[in-house]
Amino acid sequence: GIKEVLSKPSKREAEITLIGGSPGYGECVVIHMGDGNWAVIDCCINPFNNKCIPIEYLNDIGVDIKTQLKYVLCTHWHEDHIRGLSELITQCGDCATFVFSCAEDRQKFAYEMAQEFDYTRKSIVLDELRETIIEVNKKNIKIDRVKQDKLIFKNDSVSWYALSPSENEITKLD
């Protein structure tokens, strides 16, 4: 995937890598949380080969996605933030957590999806979300909802908290 020689951070280092930004292909954030634990926020594809960029990056630096990717966070379901998400979930182990910052329950989520998209036409976003949820359910991956000040991850050296969305924003969304 990536042309440069990359190295993985040491066990005690935190690393935040911003990837993407190509118009129409999206961006994502890959985070080393320390002790070999990783998170991916949003997902995108490589405009040159249509492969999932976080998978390419993690593979290139020697991360075992199945055992080391602990969190996959989806901030919202715009195409440029979720393409490749189902493939990423497919490679996760069942110890991962899928964190979704929108609808708190399945009924609200289904309602929001129905409001957002016309089910009569083909939708890359709907297909990607459908495949992602199928994989999450198939693997019995934990689903969580992120909100401001919620503890996302903690180990001996670091604690990660969500900065958003606030209770006010969640109330408006709901």
Side-chain angles (χ1 to χ4, degrees), residues 49-88:
N49 61 16
N50 285 329
K51 292 184 178 178
C52 177
I53 286 182
I55 291 173
E56 287 186 314
Y57 176 73
L58 293 169
N59 284 335
D60 282 352
I61 62 171
V63 172
D64 180 359
I65 295 171
K66 187 171 185 146
T67 61
Q68 294 181 287
L69 184 56
K70 303 298 183 184
Y71 293 89
V72 177
L73 291 86
C74 180
T75 61
H76 61 288
W77 54 71
H78 287 162
E79 183 178 337
D80 61 337
H81 289 263
I82 68 162
R83 290 190 66 194
L85 187 61
S86 61
E87 184 182 353
L88 184 62

Side-chain angles (χ1 to χ4, degrees), residues 131-167:
E131 290 302 315
T132 300
I133 298 302
I134 287 169
E135 284 301 315
V136 164
N137 288 333
K138 189 187 306 180
K139 292 182 164 203
N140 205 23
I141 289 175
K142 179 182 173 195
I143 299 176
D144 201 0
R145 184 179 190 190
V146 69
K147 60 184 175 182
Q148 185 177 2
D149 299 326
K150 180 176 181 161
L151 178 65
I152 296 173
F153 177 81
K154 182 177 177 70
N155 65 18
D156 292 339
S157 53
V158 297
S159 297
W160 295 78
Y161 290 88
L163 299 177
S164 65
S166 67
E167 286 295 332

Side-chain angles (χ1 to χ4, degrees), residues 28-45:
C28 68
V29 180
V30 180
I31 303 170
H32 179 245
M33 301 181 294
D35 296 327
N37 297 299
W38 292 81
V40 173
I41 301 173
D42 290 338
C43 203
C44 60
I45 60 169

